[in-house]
Structures are given as C-alpha cells and as structure tokens.
Amino acid sequence: MNFNHRFILASKSPRRQQLLKALGISFEILTKDISEDYPSEMPANEVAKYLAEKKALTFLEDLKDQILIAADTTVILGKEILGKPLNTNDARHMLSLLSGKKHEVNTGVCLLSKYKKVTFSETTVVNFESLTTSQIHEYVENFHPLDKAGSYGIQDCIKPGVNLLSSLEQSFLKKIKKPALFEDSLQQETIKPPTFFIESIQGAYFNIVGLPIERLYHELEAF
C-alpha cells in the first residue's frame, strides 16, 4: 500500500522509528513530556492503550492534515506492571523477577487525526529461561536496559538461528517485501552476543519490539 498521508510519530524510540520506516511510511518525530500516571484501579492490560491515547491527545490542537501515531509498551508480570528501570539496580531486580517465568508484553497504539481517533492494543506472552546472577549483571552492563520496559530488549536475547516470528508475521513481511526485517531488528545497539535467551513467545514478535506492525498496517489502511 502507498501511504500518502503526512504522518507524525510521537516517540523517540529508535526501534519504533525503524519499524515504521520498514512499513514504507515517511514521518516526522514530535514528542512532548507528559506524565505517565494512570488510574490505580485500571487493569494492567489496559494501561498501554490508555497511555498511548493520553500521549496522542496532547497533540490534538497541533494537528492539521497529519495522522499521528503514539504508542506505549508495558511488561506485565502477574498483575504488576514493570516499567522502565530507574537505575541499574532496578534493572537487575526486574530481570530477577522475570527469570524462569512467563509474562505479557502489551503495546497500545493510538492513531489520531483532527477528525478521527482509533486506539488498540496487542499482547504477546514471553517465556524467560531461568537466569543466573552473572547473566543478569552482564546483560545490564552491556545491553542498555534503562530505556526499555521490563529492563530488556527482545532483539538482544534471541538464540542464534532461531526465528520467533509467527507464521502471520512471516507472511506479512513477504507481502510488504521486507523478509529480512526480523534479522535486521536483532542486536541493533550492540555487537556483543546475547547473555541469555528467550525460551519462547506466543503472539507477535514485533509487538515486543515496540509496534505490532501487522495490526498497525491494517489499521492505517482502514483509517
């Protein structure tokens, strides 16, 4: 599809920027500092969608003929949301909580124009292997976890030769003629080998990276 609209991405995330470019979308980047508070009684799986919409609506008065894309990603362990770590000690603590357990990654997306708003979210289940203290320390020292929800980047933790894409994602990448996007997403920020591995995921891989690109593509087609 040829996206002829003018787009704004309300995110500084280099991973989201990479994924949006892969969809063939030209965009400008605009961000504002907003509070990421949310109602305490809100279910954990609604928070990412709430925050994505909250971010988007701060731009409503600024929009003319553009479509704005805002997103937020949360890591959910049980009923607890693990946000971005405050420091390296916090990152190590989060990874120790995730060790050997399953958790959910929920990405909320809000599409906003002057006349229309669409908000949606996708959830992927991630299964961590059991981590040693040395693996956790080495990861935190070498893999820049402080800007990532849950203190890890999925692209840093994949066993060589393993493809975590679902069959739907693989078909989608062929459709948009980006079959190598999975490989291109790996270890963009470091050349060091992974210190631990994700055992498995259930759902969309790119949702964990920061944007559910297949769902986003179809939502933009219909917007």
Side-chain angles (χ1 to χ4, degrees), residues 4-194:
N4 293 317
H5 297 282
R6 294 175 60 201
F7 290 94
I8 295 171
L9 176 63
S11 174
K12 297 177 183 177
S13 165
R15 295 165 293 280
R16 291 193 179 117
Q17 293 168 25
Q18 177 201 18
L19 294 179
L20 206 56
K21 287 176 183 176
L23 293 181
I25 295 175
S26 299
F27 57 92
E28 61 178 311
I29 300 169
L30 292 178
T31 61
K32 293 183 180 182
D33 292 326
I34 68 163
S35 166
E36 296 197 358
D37 294 338
Y38 52 87
S40 58
E41 70 279 4
M42 179 172 285
N45 61 2
E46 293 291 325
V47 170
K49 189 163 62 173
Y50 172 86
L51 290 176
E53 186 169 309
K54 183 178 181 180
K55 291 175 185 178
L57 290 174
T58 63
F59 292 90
L60 182 58
E61 298 300 319
D62 305 320
L63 295 178
K64 296 178 181 178
D65 59 345
Q66 310 101 318
I67 296 174
L68 182 131
I69 302 169
D72 189 85
T73 298
T74 56
V75 170
I76 305 167
L77 181 63
K79 295 183 179 180
E80 181 182 1
I81 292 177
L82 304 182
K84 295 177 182 177
L86 301 174
N87 49 47
T88 55
N89 285 335
D90 194 27
R92 286 191 283 267
H93 174 65
M94 285 189 190
L95 290 173
S96 68
L97 292 176
L98 295 172
S99 173
K101 298 174 184 172
K102 288 184 178 181
H103 63 272
E104 294 182 348
V105 178
N106 186 269
T107 295
V109 179
C110 183
L111 308 179
L112 183 70
S113 72
K114 200 170 182 178
Y115 309 102
K116 187 175 182 180
K117 173 172 64 68
V118 172
T119 308
F120 59 92
S121 66
E122 291 282 323
T123 298
T124 305
V125 177
V126 180
N127 187 18
F128 259 40
E129 69 174 18
S130 295
L131 309 179
T132 65
T133 300
S134 62
Q135 283 176 311
I136 291 173
H137 279 257
E138 188 177 348
Y139 182 84
V140 171
E141 289 299 315
N142 293 304
F143 282 83
H144 313 293
L146 297 186
D147 69 336
K148 300 177 178 73
S151 303
Y152 77 95
I154 184 74
Q155 63 274 19
D156 302 328
C157 314
I158 299 173
K159 190 175 295 186
V162 172
N163 189 330
L164 293 181
L165 293 185
S166 67
S167 58
L168 288 176
E169 284 181 301
Q170 293 182 48
S171 297
F172 174 69
L173 293 188
K174 290 179 182 178
K175 175 182 176 181
I176 65 171
K177 299 181 180 179
K178 294 285 183 177
L181 183 57
F182 173 74
E183 290 79 6
D184 293 345
S185 75
L186 302 181
Q187 297 191 73
Q188 293 297 302
E189 300 171 19
T190 178
I191 59 173
K192 293 181 178 294

